[in-house]
Structure formats: structure tokens, C-alpha cells
Amino acid sequence: MSALEPRDAGTGTESNTGTAVEAAIPVPPAESGGVLGRTYRALSVGIVSVVFLIAFEATAVGTAMPVAARELHGIPLYAFAFSAYFTTSLFAMVLSGQWADRRGPLGPLATGISAFGAGLLLSGTAGSMWTFIAGRAVQGLGGGLVIVALYVVISRAYPEHLRPSIMAAFAASWVIPSVVGPLAAGSVTEHLGWRWVFIGIPVLVVFPLALALPAIRRRASGPADPAAPVEPYDRRRILLALGISLGAGLLQYAGQERNWFALLPAVVGFGLLVPAVRGLLPPGTGRAARGLPSVVLLRGVAAGSFIAAESFVPLMLVTQRGLSPTMAGLSLAAGGGTWALGSYVQSRPRLEPYRERLMVGGMVLVAAAIAAAPSVLIDWVPVWTVAVAWAFGCFGMGMVIASTSVLLLKLSAPEEAGANSAALQISDGLSNVLLLAAGGAAFAALGGGAVGAVHGAAAGVSGSHPGAFAVVFLPMAVVALVGAWVAARVRTKP
């Protein structure tokens, strides 16, 4: 299936596309120096810098979020601040896939980074929680454009044997932000205010743009086949993408309202979501069909369960154990290093035959970490338990997320890379939205919105019922265990 045709992403090629990708990207012997060799150095440093920016934003914003939500009187909407990003990114991912397949990845990448910075500025100057959430939604548009465009760059510019290494480099780019981000954001939040965390990050946009765009223009600009006529955009897929974003947003809103009137947006949201998911994801994704459908499903299950749980870790530590925003953010810092380590492990050539087992083991580690996190709700359990558990969980995520990316590109022909990468990211983002909506609704229903002042920002800490946090983490651990079963089905042949 070509991504230029109005058919669902992921149909058709499953067993022979790896050969097609390799054949489409000739690699002279002189280019065997690896991702940091002379041929690929500028491109690798440029796109890794883009990921570094996204990583720094994620770790810094996660640290400042509890204080921002409290000062904007938006604790009951806390989950919305995260899911708004993923909701709008769903539409942007499909648009980016079509844009990149037809015109090359340069345009969506530059536009996405610009929108990402604009969303940060909007959130940083927000006077209400809903304006803050709107800024996060603009960020999501930018993030959705960027992530799919980066996958297309990798598909076009790197031969198959180098892709695990560049994916490992992406994971490694999270290490420094995981340590520096919480420290910097926590210090800025406590001494200058949370707004400066959001307003200051856009300054970092300039460097990735200056470094990445020229290298991408040289090696991965334009359509996959310059000689082929440029097909028009698939309006049906774009409408489906709009439907999936609106449907996810309505379900999130209905989950937060907790009244009978919320049934109407819930029904409308479900009605929009189901046909959109069926049209945008590979056939067989819902039943974990072997090959590409299971790869796409696993990405969603892994990312959704982990992110939904991780989003509540800083809030739990700040409100239940009295940690400062800095210390709460640092509880997740070690995860950046172990995530990179897990990604490095999957990139070793000698472990390639065991990729499926690595992914199953990774999901088991993720489930165990999520289940262990709420143990700190018990006073005598040391708070560093979360840091240790999350380090193991991130190691598992490093193996799983990088492996799904590698397998997706292996199963996609060059002209399919944009559409199939969009399907992978849609699964990722949609799962984040739905599981955050479910977790946020359960959190609010059990008194999560009663959280009071945040340690270090005002005197005293008033915690909500501990069960409000437990009801978020434990179901997510069960979802992660389901992911271990899905991971056993990623091979095209049993």
C-alpha cells in the first residue's frame, strides 16, 4: 500500500518492506562510519537536538505542573493539562504524515517546532487553567507535526542497520534533561515562579532549527520519489484525524464532568472516535493481529499506561509526602538514564533475534514499576521507592518504545513511512488521551480535586484521599501487563 493512496495505513506489505526500504537508500561503503560518521554527523546531531528540546520541555513542565495547576485553581483539570497535548497531536500526526510523504519532512518539522514554542508562551502567560490548557493544545499540534516528520527523516536518510542506533541516540538525549530539567524547573518555580519555566524554554528552539533544518534539506527533503507526480492530500484521512481529535477531547471532557449531562459528549465522542480509529490504524490492530498491527497496538498500550501513571507521580509526591516540586521531579530523573540504557540494549546487533523477548520483558518491568509507585502512599515506605521503581520501568520502556519504532520502519516501504509512522504515533497519543481521561476521571471522583496548597509554594499541604492516586496506578499496571501479551505477537510468523 502506498501512503499516497486513500487507503488505511499499514495494509499490504509486512514481510518484504524491510528489503524495499534498504534498497531504496543506497549506502556507499564510505558511509559505514555509524550515525556520528562524517556522512551522518550533522543530521544526527541536528535531529537529536530536536528530541533534546522536547525532552527538556517534558521533564521541566512536568515538574512545574502541580504548582501551575494550584495557582490557576485547576487541580480538578490536572489530567486535562496533559491530555490536551495528546488530543491535538492526533490530528497533527496524520497531517504531518501526508505532508511529509508528499513534500518531504522539512516543512512539517519547521512548522511543528515553531508551534511548539508558541504553545509554551501561551501556557506561560495564561491567566486561567483553560487558557493554560489551550497552550498545551497548541504545543500538541507542534509536537504531532515534529514526531512524525522525524520518523520520515530516519526512514529516508538512514539505512536499516543504523536505525536502532539513531533510536538509541534519541533515548540518550533524554538523560541530561531528566536530571537538569527537574533541577532547573524546580529552582525556577520556587524562586521566580512556574511561568518562567514555560516562557524560558522557547529560547531553546533556535538551536535545533539552525542545526537540523540544513542537514535535513540536504539528505531528506522532497518527496520519496521526485519523479512521481505529487498526489493530492487524502481528505478522508484528514477528516478522520479531525474526528479522532474531537472524539478524544469530548471523552476527556465527559470524564471530568461526572454528571448525567456528560453522557451526551461521551456518546458523541465515542461515535466520532470508533470510525476514525478503524480508518487510521492498520486493520487488525484492535485484535492484536501479528506483525504491524501488533506493533502499533503495543506502542499505544505501553505509552498510554506509562504516561498516564507518570503524570500523577509528581502530584502524588508533592501532595501526599510533602516533597518540593524540585525533589518530586528528581524522583523521575534516574529514569532518563535507564530509558537510554534500555534503548541501547535493544540496538545491539547480537540481540536482534531476541527482540520479541526483550519487549515482553520490558512490559513486565513497566507493569511492576507502575504497581509499586503507589506504595509511597503508606507513610513508612521511603519516598525513594518511586525513584527505584521508575528506573526499572523506564529501562523496560526504553527497550519497548525503541523496538516498536525499529519494527515499524522495517515493515514500511519508503513511500509508506509517513502514514505508518502517523498510525504508530496516533496509537501512542490516543492511548495517552483515553487512559489519562480514565485515570483523571477516577482521580477526581475519589477526591483528587481536593488537593490544597503545594509544598514550597504556600504554607502547608492538604492531601486528597490516597485512594484517588491508587485508582490511577493500579489499573494502569494491569494495562501494561496486557502489553506483555501483545509484545509476544509482533512477529509476522508465530
Side-chain angles (χ1 to χ4, degrees):
M1 187 278 295
S2 170
L4 306 179
E5 299 171 1
R7 283 186 278 175
D8 297 334
T11 57
T13 56
E14 286 193 354
S15 59
N16 298 321
T17 50
T19 302
V21 172
E22 195 71 13
I25 308 175
V27 185
E31 296 188 355
S32 59
V35 295
L36 292 179
R38 177 175 56 85
T39 301
Y40 298 102
R41 185 183 300 122
L43 178 62
S44 297
V45 173
I47 61 176
V48 168
S49 297
V50 174
V51 177
F52 181 90
L53 167 66
I54 295 173
F56 190 85
E57 181 273 341
T59 55
V61 167
T63 301
M65 194 76 78
V67 178
R70 184 195 67 83
E71 291 192 2
L72 293 173
H73 308 289
I75 289 291
L77 300 174
Y78 185 77
F80 243 142
F82 288 94
S83 63
Y85 180 101
F86 300 115
T87 299
T88 55
S89 69
L90 292 171
F91 173 75
M93 288 168 188
V94 175
L95 179 61
S96 182
Q98 295 207 25
W99 190 351
D101 281 342
R102 287 158 175 77
R103 303 290 182 181
L106 193 62
L109 186 62
T111 304
I113 293 177
S114 300
F116 193 79
L120 283 166
L121 291 175
L122 180 58
S123 290
T125 57
S128 68
M129 191 63 178
W130 282 113
T131 305
F132 180 87
I133 291 170
R136 294 287 290 165
V138 175
Q139 276 185 260
L141 288 172
L145 290 172
V146 168
I147 191 64
V148 173
L150 286 178
Y151 273 71
V152 176
V153 169
I154 294 171
S155 173
R156 300 236 184 125
Y158 294 89
E160 186 176 339
H161 72 278
L162 289 182
R163 291 175 194 157
S165 296
I166 193 63
M167 292 299 178
F170 278 11
S173 67
W174 281 76
V175 176
I176 294 177
S178 295
V179 177
V180 177
L183 280 173
S187 298
V188 170
T189 298
E190 293 174 23
H191 296 98
L192 298 177
W194 63 268
R195 296 181 184 276
W196 288 101
V197 174
F198 290 83
I199 295 174
I201 292 176
V203 177
L204 301 176
V205 169
V206 177
F207 177 72
L209 278 176
L211 195 60
L213 299 188
I216 294 171
R217 184 178 291 110
R218 289 193 300 269
R219 296 196 59 87
S221 61
D225 184 1
V230 178
E231 297 288 338
Y233 284 83
D234 185 348
R235 294 182 180 179
R236 172 179 171 272
R237 291 183 61 81
I238 292 178
L239 288 175
L240 289 174
L242 184 61
I244 205 172
S245 291
L246 290 175
L250 287 171
L251 285 177
Q252 171 73 12
Y253 176 79
Q256 292 292 129
E257 286 302 297
R258 307 191 319 276
N259 57 52
W260 288 107
F261 294 104
L263 287 176
L264 178 60
V267 171
V268 174
F270 187 77
L272 289 171
L273 204 59
V274 172
V277 169
R278 290 173 60 88
L280 292 172
L281 299 187
T285 299
R287 54 184 174 84
R290 289 192 176 274
L292 187 61
S294 285
V295 172
V296 171
L297 178 61
L298 176 61
R299 180 59 164 262
V301 170
S305 59
F306 189 80
I307 295 300
E310 186 178 62
S311 299
F312 285 86
V313 170
L315 187 65
M316 178 176 66
L317 294 178
V318 168
T319 60
Q320 300 297 305
R321 297 301 296 262
L323 269 65
S324 68
T326 302
M327 294 307 298
L330 281 175
S331 67
L332 306 178
T338 57
W339 190 307
L341 179 61
S343 187
Y344 172 80
V345 167
Q346 66 79 37
S347 72
R348 297 302 84 198
R350 65 178 179 273
L351 293 179
E352 178 63 31
Y354 308 103
R355 186 174 295 279
E356 178 187 325
R357 296 181 186 178
L358 291 176
M359 297 168 76
V360 172
M363 289 309 304
V364 171
L365 287 176
V366 171
I370 296 174
S375 65
V376 298
L377 294 169
I378 304 172
D379 289 339
W380 55 264
V381 175
V383 292
W384 50 258
T385 301
V386 170
V388 174
W390 228 245
F392 280 98
C394 285
F395 179 79
M397 286 292 288
M399 292 191 294
V400 172
I401 296 300
S403 290
T404 57
S405 301
V406 170
L407 288 174
L408 177 106
L409 294 179
K410 184 177 182 179
L411 297 173
S412 301
E415 68 274 11
E416 294 179 313
N420 286 351
S421 296
L424 187 76
Q425 297 302 326
I426 286 170
S427 178
D428 186 320
L430 180 61
S431 180
N432 285 332
V433 171
L434 295 181
L435 292 180
L436 273 169
F443 177 75
L446 290 184
V451 178
V454 179
H455 180 82
V461 175
S462 176
S464 59
H465 194 283
F469 291 96
V471 81
V472 173
F473 288 97
L474 298 182
M476 299 307 160
V478 175
V479 174
L481 278 179
V482 173
W485 172 76
V486 177
R489 298 180 58 80
V490 297
R491 288 187 301 175
T492 55
K493 295 180 180 180

